[in-house]
């Protein structure tokens, strides 16, 4: 059976038969290799299984430039999003010299070999502006591009060996060919896809059901379970919510399948991309709503994209795409009618109820009621399991300040106070102790300081995720790494950054080990505050100068702050 891709050709599946795999594995063994990031693993899975058809690998420079400029590949095929492999300079040079690169997952398994055709340095600002319309690093994809992506792209055809292994929800994971075969077996000739990265509540069920009715199609709930917007609810919780919502649709009308996509939150371009992907999965329609794949507001508090720009762009290309758009409006609950209605149908004096995402999170954090008109009881129960009230979540208290500022003294006092007050495990990750047990091989260069703080952040995130309390007391001199630690922990629980702002002169006066004196003499190199900078936090939750507070007083201030944040009671 031939499977047709979104552009009219045969669907490209890059996973070969067993005998070819053995040849490719031998090639991989002879090639330099690259450990794929989580985002790259998502991309390579959808390249290999045909979801990104007609692409047969990571884009070469000609395709990349054409996509940035025209939203088309070099041959004119409509394609709005660059699909690229970013690497560091050393890997780029090795791959270019060898002509191929083995691509490994997080466990070291080779997924594919890239036949290297192009290698070029990235103009990150130009890409951000062309694709996302901004260089504002509040945009998740721009932030990734500027701060996480390598400095070079490699382009070329992929020689696939195997798809990434998933141990979760195997019953809901399908390749494009598998889902098309399922549609054919069920006799579904018209299928409307619903893209989501959030749990589904009653408004979403009403919306999708009406959309399917309107176009007389069956419904594919197709949530993203790869990378979404930082801070989103984890996919394990979301899938359990989707499974509960499935029972609310008429029998045999709707199916659930998971999409391992790394979203870019690219607004209109992303909506177009989503449509092409869903066409490759065999869908004839896609639901596109207000601000589809929008990342929210920019640094000036303004939306990154016009709320209806995604719908306008799909209308412009609908005929060429070969997949029809089903527009939908925001659904709100009419208390007068006791049902959900489109917002455009709201009467002048009609009583309307709605709960925003922010309000939902507040109610979950405080353990407040979530009414049945808003969501189904079984969905709320799943959310409460994964997101307990604030005072039962784990949290991290992250001290930063100069050597000798008093961080460790206050951190120790706080540890004892919290162990007295709360029934949760409390762990102190002091800078010197971590250096001895976790980072003994590291020096004090900027790179090594960042690695040390990153390790502390990772351990603290695991403690926080599992409901414990982590107290961290490194110097942590660099703002970007402190922000990275915050972003690592905040989605998992509470985070309180405290700048211990004791002046340098006082820190030197207290110097029991004589480190400052040695630094002044040039004996100790790269010493924070003397020969290496300390970047003062701009917006910490608290600022404590130990010239003004004794340890007990400082600890009491922190406890009151934690109570005000709802983290302890």
């Amino acid at each position: 059976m031939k499977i047709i891709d979104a552009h009219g050709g045969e669907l490209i599946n890059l996973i070969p038969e067993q005998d070819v795999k053995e040849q490719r594995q031998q090639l991989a063994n002879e090639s330099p290799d690259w450990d794929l990031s989580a985002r790259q693993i998502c991309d390579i899975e959808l390249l290999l299984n045909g979801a990104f058809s007609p692409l047969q690998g990571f884009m070469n420079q000609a395709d990349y430039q054409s996509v940035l400029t025209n939203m088309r590949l070099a041959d004119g095929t409509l394609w709005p999003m660059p699909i690229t492999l970013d690497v560091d300079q050393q890997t780029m040079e090795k791959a270019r010299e060898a002509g191929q690169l083995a691509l490994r997952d997080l466990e070291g398994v080779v997924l594919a070999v890239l036949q290297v055709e192009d290698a070029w340095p990235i103009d990150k600002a130009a890409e951000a502006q062309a694709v996302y319309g901004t260089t504002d690093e509040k945009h998740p994809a721009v932030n990734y591009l500027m701060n996480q992506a390598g400095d070079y792209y490699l382009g070329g055809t992929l020689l696939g060996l195997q798809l990434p292994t998933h141990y979760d929800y195997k019953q809901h994971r399908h390749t494009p060919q598998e889902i098309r075969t399922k549609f054919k077996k069920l006799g579904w000739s018209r299928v409307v896809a619903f893209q989501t990265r959030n749990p589904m509540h009653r408004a979403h069920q009403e919306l999708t059901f009406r959309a399917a009715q309107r176009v007389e199609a069956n419904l594919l709930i197709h949530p993203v379970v790869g990378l979404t917007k930082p801070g989103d609810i984890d996919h394990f919780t979301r899938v359990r919510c989707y499974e509960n919502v499935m029972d609310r649709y008429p029998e045999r009308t709707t199916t659930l399948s998971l999409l391992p996509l790394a979203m870019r939150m690219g607004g209109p371009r992303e909506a177009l991309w989503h449509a092409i992907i869903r066409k490759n999965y065999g869908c004839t329609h896609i639901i596109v709503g207000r601000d589809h794949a929008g990342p929210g507001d920019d640094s000036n508090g303004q939306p990154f994209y016009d709320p209806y720009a995604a719908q306008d762009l799909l209308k412009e290309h609908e005929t060429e795409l070969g997949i029809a758009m089903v527009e939908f409006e925001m659904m709100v609950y009419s208390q007068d009618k006791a049902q959900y209605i489109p917002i455009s149908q709201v009467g002048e004096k009609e009583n309307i109820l709605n709960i925003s995402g922010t309000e939902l999170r507040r109610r979950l954090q405080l353990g407040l009621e979530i009414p049945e008109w808003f969501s189904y009881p079984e969905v709320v129960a799943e959310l409460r399991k994964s997101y307990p009230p604030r005072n039962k979540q784990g949290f991290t208290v992250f001290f930063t300040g100069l050597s000798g500022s008093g961080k460790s003294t206050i951190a120790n006092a706080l540890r004892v106070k919290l162990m007295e007050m709360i029934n949760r495990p409390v762990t102190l990750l002091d800078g010197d102790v971590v250096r001895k047990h976790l980072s003994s091989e590291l020096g004090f260069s900027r790179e090594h300081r960042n690695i040390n703080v990153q390790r502390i952040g990772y351990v603290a995130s695991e403690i926080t995720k599992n409901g414990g309390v982590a107290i961290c007391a490194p110097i942590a001199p660099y703002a970007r790494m402190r922000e990275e630690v915050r972003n690592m922990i905040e989605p998992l629980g509470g985070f309180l950054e405290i700048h211990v702002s004791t002046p340098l002169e006082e820190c030197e006066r207290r110097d029991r080990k004589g480190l400052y004196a040695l630094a002044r003499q040039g004996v100790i190199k790269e010493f924070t505050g003397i020969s290496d900078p300390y970047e003062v936090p701009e917006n910490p939750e608290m600022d404590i100068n130990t010239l003004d507070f004794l340890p007990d007083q400082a600890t009491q201030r922190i406890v009151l702050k934690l109570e005000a944040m709802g983290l302890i009671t």
Side-chain angles (χ1 to χ4, degrees):
M1 177 182 67
K2 284 190 175 182
I3 304 296
I4 305 303
D5 74 13
H7 303 284
E10 190 171 344
L11 191 69
I12 296 167
N13 187 319
L14 301 179
I15 300 298
E17 300 299 326
Q18 186 59 40
D19 57 338
V20 177
K21 285 184 183 179
E22 292 175 2
Q23 296 172 18
R24 293 182 178 181
Q25 183 63 58
Q26 181 60 38
L27 180 62
N29 294 339
E30 300 167 355
S31 303
D33 52 19
W34 172 254
D35 294 332
L36 296 159
S37 68
R39 174 164 136 170
Q40 290 168 347
I41 289 173
C42 290
D43 285 351
I44 205 170
E45 178 167 3
L46 297 183
L47 284 166
L48 294 178
N49 72 14
F52 285 174
S53 190
L55 300 186
Q56 298 187 51
F58 291 104
M59 289 179 179
N60 59 32
Q61 191 170 6
D63 283 332
Y64 167 78
Q65 293 294 349
S66 183
V67 167
L68 263 57
T69 305
N70 304 313
M71 294 198 307
R72 294 182 181 275
L73 302 176
D75 66 2
T77 302
L78 186 66
W79 190 275
M81 199 65 64
I83 306 299
T84 48
L85 181 68
D86 59 279
V87 298
D88 57 37
Q89 183 175 355
Q90 184 180 25
T91 302
M92 180 275 293
E93 291 172 350
K94 287 181 179 179
R96 188 166 57 183
E97 181 179 354
Q100 62 259 343
L101 183 67
L103 305 177
R104 298 181 181 272
D105 69 10
L106 299 176
E107 296 179 359
V109 176
V110 179
L111 302 180
V113 176
L114 178 69
Q115 293 184 305
V116 179
E117 299 167 9
D118 267 341
W120 69 98
I122 309 170
D123 184 339
K124 295 185 177 184
E127 178 178 330
Q129 191 64 49
V131 179
Y132 307 112
T134 182
T135 55
D136 185 342
E137 292 186 20
K138 193 174 178 184
H139 192 296
V142 175
N143 190 291
Y144 176 91
L145 183 63
M146 298 297 191
N147 301 315
Q148 297 181 53
D151 293 325
Y152 293 86
Y153 282 145
L154 295 177
T157 302
L158 284 172
L159 304 178
L161 276 87
Q162 64 182 72
L163 294 174
T165 300
H166 298 286
Y167 299 103
D168 61 324
Y169 302 116
K170 291 188 176 184
Q171 70 276 25
H172 299 313
R173 292 185 180 272
H174 310 93
T175 67
Q177 188 162 335
E178 288 168 346
I179 203 72
R180 283 171 176 259
T181 300
K182 181 175 182 177
F183 292 162
K184 185 173 183 180
K185 184 176 181 180
L186 293 172
W188 291 9
S189 59
R190 293 169 64 86
V191 181
V192 58
F194 179 60
Q195 148 84 28
T196 184
R197 44 173 256 271
N198 295 308
M200 291 180 66
H201 302 292
R202 284 193 59 182
H204 303 101
Q205 194 277 337
E206 292 273 353
L207 180 155
T208 52
F209 179 64
R210 292 185 185 207
Q213 275 190 322
R214 190 199 311 173
V215 296
E216 298 179 355
N218 292 99
L219 178 63
L220 172 65
I221 305 296
H222 209 202
V224 171
V225 295
L227 300 184
T228 59
K229 185 179 177 182
D232 281 351
I233 290 175
D234 67 276
H235 82 268
F236 296 98
T237 301
R238 289 191 286 115
V239 173
R240 292 195 293 271
C241 292
Y242 302 140
E243 289 175 332
N244 283 309
V245 170
M246 292 298 292
D247 294 335
R248 301 289 177 163
Y249 292 97
E251 194 173 355
R252 298 187 184 90
T253 64
T254 306
T255 193
L256 170 67
S257 186
L258 309 182
L259 180 66
L261 177 71
M263 290 185 67
R264 275 57 164 178
M265 305 304 300
R269 278 193 182 228
E270 180 123 354
L272 197 61
W273 189 39
H274 289 173
I276 294 170
I277 292 168
R278 272 34 183 254
K279 178 65 187 285
N280 282 332
Y281 273 89
C283 298
T284 56
H285 298 73
I286 181 171
I287 298 170
V288 177
R290 186 179 182 276
D291 197 27
H292 186 103
D297 291 342
D298 63 20
S299 296
N300 298 316
Q302 298 300 314
F304 276 102
Y305 305 113
D306 181 271
Y308 297 103
Q311 293 180 354
D312 293 341
L313 188 62
L314 257 75
K315 283 178 187 174
E316 182 182 339
H317 296 284
E318 196 170 44
T319 302
E320 183 178 1
L321 282 169
I323 180 171
M325 175 177 63
V326 182
E327 300 174 46
F328 72 80
E329 297 180 77
M330 181 180 178
M331 301 289 288
V332 292
Y333 187 77
S334 168
Q335 193 172 25
D336 298 339
K337 297 186 175 81
Q339 68 180 39
Y340 275 90
I341 59 174
I343 196 167
S344 63
Q345 296 179 17
V346 174
E348 186 176 344
K349 296 184 179 180
E350 197 162 358
N351 292 312
I352 297 302
L353 301 176
N354 189 35
I355 293 178
S356 67
T358 301
E359 174 63 14
L360 174 62
R361 287 189 291 274
R362 188 188 75 86
R363 293 186 182 218
L364 287 170
Q365 287 178 356
L366 299 178
L368 301 176
E369 178 194 8
I370 297 173
E372 285 198 35
W373 63 259
F374 175 76
S375 192
Y376 302 109
E378 55 269 35
V379 170
V380 175
E382 290 295 344
L383 291 173
R384 290 199 190 281
K385 288 178 192 175
S386 299
Y387 296 87
R390 194 77 163 154
N391 64 352
K392 293 184 180 179
Q393 293 179 14
F395 62 88
T396 292
V397 180
F398 192 90
F399 291 93
T400 174
L402 295 169
S403 176
S405 61
K407 302 183 303 298
S408 296
T409 301
I410 300 173
N412 272 293
L414 179 64
R415 178 183 67 86
V416 173
K417 189 65 177 177
L418 290 178
M419 291 177 70
E420 174 189 342
M421 293 180 63
I422 63 176
N423 188 25
R424 272 176 279 178
V426 181
T427 302
L428 174 60
L429 299 170
D430 183 72
D432 290 339
V433 176
V434 169
R435 279 273 179 185
K436 179 179 179 181
H437 295 288
L438 196 63
S439 299
S440 59
E441 85 286 8
L442 297 180
F444 291 90
S445 66
R446 187 181 187 97
E447 179 188 5
H448 281 194
R449 288 178 188 275
N450 280 336
I451 292 172
N452 183 54
V453 174
Q454 192 174 47
R455 289 176 182 177
I456 291 172
Y458 172 74
V459 174
S461 73
E462 289 296 304
I463 293 168
T464 299
K465 180 175 69 176
N466 288 287
V469 177
I471 302 173
C472 309
I475 293 173
Y478 308 126
R480 188 172 296 283
M481 184 50 62
R482 294 195 298 263
E483 185 66 20
E484 184 176 319
V485 170
R486 177 185 289 273
N487 292 337
M488 198 185 305
I489 295 171
E490 274 190 328
L492 307 172
F495 187 83
L496 173 62
E497 182 182 7
I498 301 174
H499 178 211
V500 183
S501 58
T502 308
L504 175 63
E505 297 76 16
E506 177 64 17
C507 294
E508 286 198 68
R509 190 189 66 76
R510 296 175 180 176
D511 187 16
R512 292 178 296 177
K513 300 177 184 178
L515 299 178
Y516 278 99
L518 293 172
R520 292 285 187 191
Q521 295 166 19
V523 176
I524 299 178
K525 308 295 183 184
E526 299 176 308
F527 192 84
T528 301
I530 304 299
S531 51
D532 198 66
Y534 178 81
E535 298 172 1
V536 176
E538 293 184 1
N539 297 297
E541 280 78 10
M542 293 189 71
D543 185 295
I544 295 175
N545 183 338
T546 56
L547 290 177
D548 301 329
F549 299 96
L550 295 172
D552 276 349
Q553 295 171 322
T555 300
Q556 187 58 36
R557 284 191 66 207
I558 296 167
V559 167
L560 292 173
K561 182 67 173 179
L562 291 170
E563 288 177 347
M565 294 172 71
L567 293 168
I568 59 175
T569 55

